[in-house]
Amino acid sequence: MQLFVQIHAQPHSELPQTFEGLADAIGSLPGMYFEMDGSFVWVDRNTDPPSQMDGMVYDRNGRLEYVEVKGACNAQQWRVLCQVICSLPAKPSLEDVARLNESLRIHRVSDGDWKTFEEIALLLTNETH
């Protein structure tokens, strides 16, 4: 599934990650190429055909403002990306994953609608079945 989304914090809150923290965390993902201007490309060669997400990180006053993502990914990649943005551990608990819905709001630019983390994950899961 092709995504074009902006990942924001819920109103009146902020994303917990700093730009530098995200750069460190995201840069360690296999197939991730992160530039210090905030742009990134994540290629997963384990999918057929290989998937690629392109993104841009926007920050203000030491905190992430939002992250824009375009391209193809599966539900697992989506989950990992959102976990990193929210400073969750690599193997989060069910409670941690539930916090993604509470912490994030996703602007699906392609249709102008707002979604939850889980709604996007479900769209990606249904696309692969």
Side-chain angles (χ1 to χ4, degrees):
M1 175 179 175
Q2 291 291 316
L3 284 181
F4 183 12
V5 297
Q6 295 173 338
I7 304 167
H8 295 263
Q10 288 291 344
H12 309 294
S13 65
E14 58 186 29
L15 294 171
Q17 189 69 274
T18 64
F19 182 90
E20 291 77 14
L22 181 67
D24 288 342
I26 209 170
S28 67
L29 297 173
M32 177 66 77
Y33 304 95
F34 187 86
E35 295 290 335
M36 290 311 289
D37 67 355
S39 62
F40 65 88
V41 176
W42 191 10
V43 177
D44 184 355
R45 299 193 192 292
N46 295 323
T47 61
D48 186 30
S51 62
Q52 177 175 322
M53 287 191 292
D54 301 302
M56 190 68 186
V57 177
Y58 297 90
D59 66 324
R60 179 182 295 163
N61 299 327
R63 306 305 295 178
L64 293 185
E65 188 71 20
Y66 68 96
V67 178
E68 185 171 276
V69 179
K70 298 177 187 176
C73 73
N74 59 41
Q76 177 61 26
Q77 290 171 289
W78 173 249
R79 186 174 299 107
V80 168
L81 180 64
C82 290
Q83 286 170 203
V84 170
I85 291 170
C86 287
S87 298
L88 296 179
K91 295 191 184 243
S93 68
L94 290 176
E95 193 173 275
D96 287 336
V97 173
R99 282 194 2 233
L100 292 174
N101 276 330
E102 298 167 7
S103 302
L104 301 177
R105 65 186 183 127
I106 315 302
H107 182 226
R108 193 166 174 207
V109 178
S110 55
D111 63 10
D113 201 7
W114 290 93
K115 302 284 186 192
T116 65
F117 157 80
E118 191 170 2
E119 288 171 326
I120 297 293
L122 186 59
L123 287 171
L124 292 169
T125 299
N126 290 339
E127 187 74 19
T128 60
H129 288 96

